[in-house]
Amino acid sequence: MGEKKGYVKLWLSYETYFGAYTPEQVGNLTLAMLAYKNDGTEPEFYGPERFIWPAIRRDIDESRAAQEAAAEQHRACGRLGGRKRTDPSPENQIGSGETNLPPWTKDKDIDMDYGHGQGEGQGEGPAWAREKMASADRLLAQLIREAKEEAAEAAEAGDVV
C-alpha cells in the first residue's frame, strides 16, 4: 500500500476566526495546524493566535477521533467478513421454480393492458408489439419448462447436472 495521505480540515467557520488576524498570523495558524496533525507538535504562540489555537486544536482532535472510530468500525466489519452477501440458496436463484419466473412469462391474454396508468391510449403499444411480446413470453416459459424437465431426467439417470 502507498503512503497515507493525511489532511487537515479547514472549516468554513474559521473565516470568522481569522477575520481579525493578518495574513501572516493566519499562515502561522495554518502551518501550526499541519504540524499538529502530522506529528502532534504543539505550537507556541505569543501573539493573538494563542487565543483561538485551543478551539482549532479541539477541532483537529475531534476530527482525528471521529476518523479513527470510523476506521475501527470498518476494520471490525472487515474481520467479520465485510458486508452481508445476498442469500445464495437455490430457491432464490433464477429459474429454480415457477414462482421466480418474471411476471410477463405467465400466461397472459395478448389484449391485456400493458400501460402504467398513464391515461387512455398511452403506454399500451401497438397490437402487433403486444402479440410479439406475448409470443416471446410463451416461448420463454416453454424453454424454461423444457430445461427443467431435461435437468430432472439427467438427475434421475445419475448424470452430473
Side-chain angles (χ1 to χ4, degrees):
M1 223 171 197
E3 178 184 330
K4 276 188 167 181
K5 292 185 177 181
Y7 64 93
V8 175
K9 287 186 178 180
L10 193 61
W11 286 266
L12 295 176
S13 62
Y14 288 180
E15 186 176 13
T16 58
Y17 290 1
F18 297 157
Y21 293 93
T22 67
E24 182 182 354
Q25 292 166 335
V26 172
N28 290 340
L29 283 165
T30 305
L31 292 174
M33 291 168 66
L34 293 171
Y36 182 74
K37 176 70 184 265
N38 189 36
D39 58 16
T41 303
E42 188 74 39
E44 293 184 25
F45 290 118
Y46 299 105
E49 301 97 326
R50 71 180 185 273
F51 297 116
I52 63 167
W53 174 249
I56 293 173
R57 182 183 54 224
R58 181 201 63 226
D59 290 342
I60 293 172
D61 291 342
E62 288 175 358
S63 174
R64 180 182 291 145
Q67 187 177 11
E68 190 56 40
E72 181 54 40
Q73 177 69 30
H74 292 199
R75 284 190 289 271
C77 289
R79 284 191 293 272
L80 296 174
R83 182 174 59 117
K84 184 178 179 191
R85 293 185 177 24
T86 58
D87 185 8
S89 60
E91 60 271 3
N92 288 330
Q93 301 301 314
I94 294 178
S96 62
E98 289 292 324
T99 57
N100 288 332
L101 293 176
W104 59 84
T105 61
K106 307 290 189 262
D107 289 332
K108 290 184 179 179
D109 183 8
I110 59 172
D111 292 330
M112 190 170 192
D113 178 16
Y114 288 99
H116 300 283
Q118 298 172 357
E120 187 176 341
Q122 296 181 7
E124 296 176 3
W128 65 266
R130 290 190 309 236
E131 288 175 14
K132 290 265 188 199
M133 181 60 107
S135 176
D137 292 343
R138 286 191 295 273
L139 178 60
L140 178 62
Q142 179 184 351
L143 290 172
I144 291 173
R145 280 193 296 273
E146 289 174 4
K148 286 182 183 179
E149 290 171 6
E150 289 176 14
E153 290 172 6
E156 288 177 6
D159 294 337
V160 178
V161 180

